[in-house]
Structures are given as C-alpha cells and as structure tokens.
Amino acid sequence: MTTVPFTDLAAMTKEIWPAIERDYLACLLGAGYIGGPAVESFEREWAAYCGADHAVGVANGTDALQLSLTALGIGPGDEVVVPANTFVATAAAVVRAGATPRFADVSDDTLLMTPETLRAAITPRTRAVMIVHLYGQMPDMAGLLAVADNAGILVIEDAAQAHGAEWAGRRAGSFGAAACFSFYPGKNLGAFGDAGAVVTSRPEVADRVRALANHGRSHGSSHYEHEVVGTNSRLDTLQAIALSGKLARLDVWTQRRIELAARYRDQLSGTGLKLVGVAPSARHVYHLFVVRLAERDRVRVELGRRGIQTGVHYPVPCHLQPPLRRFADGALPVAEQAAQELLSLPLFPHMTDDQVDVVCEVLGYLLPATISPEFTRVC
C-alpha cells in the first residue's frame, strides 16, 4: 500500500475542475477541438506570465524544442550545445532538426550547465546553446548569456521543468531567442495529456513556429496553401482550457512546493545526503526535489517497500544513450557520477507536512547503513 505517492495529479484536477467544468464540457459537447478563443486566450496568458510577447501552443514540449530550432534556421551542419544531464528530448530534438548536439558537463552543486562547461563545448560550428532549467531551477543566466553573446550563438531555453522559475527576478521564458515549455501532466503546469508551447519576444520566430506547427500554413493563407514543409503540432482546445484553469492556481501551488522543499532541506541537513544546491539568484520552483546518495538503488528499494514512491531523473546521461553516443567527444565526469546517485523524492502541491516527515524519518533510519565513507567525504 502506498504511504506517500510521488505525485497526485487527481488532487490538482479536483481543485480546478469547478472553475473549468462549464467551458470544458461546452467544448467537449460542441466539438470545437482545434484552435479557437480558448487556445488564443491561454497563449496570451502564458506569454504574459513568462514576461514575453508571444506564446505559440504546440502538441508537446519535444515538438516545441524542434520547432524552435527549425524556426531559428538551425539544421544540418550546425552544432547545438546541450547539457548531458537532462531528459533525452533535449538532445533528440537537436538531432531531429538535422543538427549535431555538443554535450556539456554540469555543476557538481546544481547539476546545471555553467558558463565554463558551455565555453568548453563551443566550436566554430556551434550555432546555438540549449540552456536547460532542470528540476525547476535556472542556471547562471548572466554568465551563460555572456558566453553565448561573446561566441555569437543563439540561446534557446529548455524550460520544460521550470514554469515560473526565475533568475535575478526575471522569469524563465524571457531570456532566449525562444523558450520551450512542456505541459505534460506531471509538470508544475500540466495539461490533461500532452501539450507544450514556444515562448518568444521575436514576432518572426512566433510566426515561423506557428506556420511550421500547422502544416506550413502561414497567417492569413488558405487551408490548402502551404508555404513551408511543416508538421501537425497544435495545442488542443480542451488542453488550453485545462491549462488556463491551472495557471490561475500555479503561483499558489509553486509556493507550496517551495515550502515543502524547505521542510525537506531542514530535516535532511546533516543526514549524509547531498542536496542539490540552489544558486543565490535563482527562484527554484521545485518540479523535482533531488538528492544524491551512494547505494541509491538499494535505498530506493527500501523506500518502496515502505510505501514511499520515488523517481530517478536521470539514470543515464544523454551522451551515454545508445543513439547519441556517436556525438560524444569524451567523458563528462560530473554528469556521469551524478547519474549513479540521483534520487527524486515525493513533492507535489497537495502533499502534507506529515508526508514529508514520514519520508525524512524513513530516510533517517536507512541512511546510516547505506552512506559510504567515500561518499560522505564529498558531501
């Protein structure tokens, strides 16, 4: 029997359902499932929330990444720097766009790309960097933007896990030539299925993404006029209605995530776990609460036996994934070591303080027998 679930999507739906029920059922029964005022309204709301001028709803976050690359003219012969510690979609989107991923290592503290690791990965063929705001935290944007500007390369934000995250008071989605969001159900802002968006303050990029995502139709063209070869990647109307309903609660849910993470940090300090660091200029929105420990797999099994669900994000770095190994130039030691130690603990807006306490109590019982001297030396 589950004592503490990893997340609780049903509780989020139950909370927002009264606010969206009328519009959702009207759409469902009225059969207006593609586009329309609900999609346009959410796009305006989401762009404003991110501090950008435009948002284009698409089918999922992975498409958002590829469409952004293509809209910015990145393709065969170009290189795009991506961190090795990220979900595979980041690097896969580069390959799907016809470009070549260049893998960068990450900080041992935050597990995010740094200005130094970005600089080391840049070559004369590099056209862009995909900066990933992983786990809900943005990396050193000031330093990364300076390196990118000096190298003359484009910045694209992979903000799939960073809805509402900030760097120095400025929100994810407002820094790059384009920013890509996933609204996969488990995200901080999640749809009832797959959904995504591209956010930008460049009108030509927004127009290009919109055309590419709609079979190559440009604004104002007829249904059967296609100016470019595109794809079918549109945000469904039902998903837009759900997302607008959840967006109204996002800040409240984010604050609760931050409170729960603080409770975790207070109780787990001094246990031997290595907590992923938070940069001073970052507002971490805790899509995931990630810790590092030796014998991760054994501890995870023991937690599961006691009804505590956990996750591992991610056990294999991108450059070691079989279809991506051919793009790797060598070892990336921080990402490779961290992949053996990462453990994501339960954290969701409707989680109770008591549930956090249960997780910490069980970890406190398990850790003395599982933390090795070699690991405690570096914690």
Side-chain angles (χ1 to χ4, degrees):
M1 180 177 179
T2 299
T3 304
V4 184
F6 187 68
T7 190
D8 187 351
L9 303 183
M12 301 171 79
T13 299
K14 183 178 180 180
E15 182 177 335
I16 62 105
W17 181 248
I20 70 168
E21 180 179 10
R22 184 180 65 180
D23 290 342
Y24 195 89
L25 292 177
C27 177
L28 185 65
L29 298 175
Y33 304 138
I34 304 296
V39 173
E40 295 167 2
S41 177
F42 173 71
E43 289 176 337
R44 289 192 298 271
E45 293 167 359
W46 186 239
Y49 186 86
C50 296
D53 293 336
H54 307 277
V56 181
V58 297
N60 55 69
T62 303
D63 282 358
L65 295 167
Q66 182 183 349
L67 289 164
S68 294
L69 290 164
T70 302
L72 290 165
I74 295 168
D78 298 328
E79 292 179 348
V80 179
V81 178
V82 300
N85 182 42
T86 183
F87 182 54
V88 69
T90 310
V94 175
V95 178
R96 289 174 62 210
T100 300
R102 286 274 302 169
F103 293 107
D105 212 348
V106 294
S107 161
D108 191 52
D109 180 37
T110 64
L111 300 179
L112 304 173
M113 187 189 294
T114 72
E116 294 73 26
T117 62
L118 169 58
R119 189 179 296 111
I122 292 172
T123 78
R125 292 176 56 195
T126 304
R127 285 280 315 283
V129 54
M130 195 85 77
I131 299 176
V132 180
H133 310 325
L134 202 65
Y135 308 142
Q137 180 178 200
M138 301 177 70
D140 178 2
M141 294 304 293
L144 289 165
L145 290 170
V147 172
D149 184 64
N150 185 63
I153 62 176
L154 293 165
V155 170
I156 301 168
E157 298 174 69
D158 180 343
Q161 298 184 5
H163 310 75
E166 297 177 1
W167 180 265
R170 187 171 161 187
R171 278 195 175 145
S174 66
F175 287 85
C180 307
F181 288 89
S182 167
F183 303 124
Y184 179 79
K187 295 298 196 287
N188 290 28
L189 181 64
F192 290 168
D194 279 319
V198 175
V199 171
T200 181
S201 289
R202 300 186 181 188
E204 72 281 5
V205 174
D207 289 345
R208 182 76 170 175
V209 169
R210 195 177 298 280
L212 288 166
N214 190 25
H215 294 291
R217 302 182 185 105
S218 62
H219 179 71
S221 65
S222 77
H223 190 74
Y224 295 108
E225 290 180 312
H226 311 272
E227 295 191 0
V228 296
V229 175
T231 188
N232 180 10
S233 182
R234 298 173 297 217
L235 176 63
D236 296 339
T237 311
L238 288 168
Q239 303 297 0
I241 293 169
L243 288 167
S244 286
K246 287 189 174 184
L247 181 55
R249 300 296 298 159
L250 180 58
D251 286 342
V252 172
W253 290 346
T254 297
Q255 184 56 40
R256 180 57 179 160
R257 287 177 181 271
I258 292 170
E259 293 169 358
L260 292 167
R263 192 174 187 90
Y264 265 131
R265 287 185 176 277
D266 180 61
Q267 296 194 42
L268 294 177
S269 62
T271 62
L273 286 172
K274 185 172 184 178
L275 305 180
V276 174
V278 180
S281 295
R283 180 185 186 244
H284 199 321
V285 297
Y286 291 99
H287 171 58
L288 297 168
F289 189 86
V290 178
V291 299
R292 295 169 63 179
L293 71 161
E295 300 190 33
R296 180 264 318 282
D297 295 337
R298 182 150 65 96
V299 172
R300 189 182 186 205
V301 168
E302 291 299 323
L303 288 169
R305 287 178 58 191
R306 292 161 174 81
I308 298 171
Q309 295 180 346
T310 57
V312 178
H313 303 84
Y314 299 97
V316 181
C318 282
H319 69 296
L320 298 183
Q321 294 285 353
L324 298 173
R325 284 178 180 266
R326 59 193 172 103
F327 301 112
D329 288 336
L332 298 173
V334 176
E336 291 170 19
Q337 181 64 37
Q340 302 174 45
E341 303 164 349
L342 296 169
L343 183 67
S344 300
L345 302 180
L347 193 151
F348 50 95
H350 296 83
M351 190 176 188
T352 67
D353 290 352
D354 287 346
Q355 287 175 315
V356 173
D357 296 346
V358 167
V359 176
C360 293
E361 182 179 356
V362 173
L363 279 170
Y365 170 77
L366 294 173
L367 288 175
T370 57
I371 296 296
S372 68
E374 292 77 11
F375 191 75
T376 55
R377 179 178 55 82
V378 300
C379 289

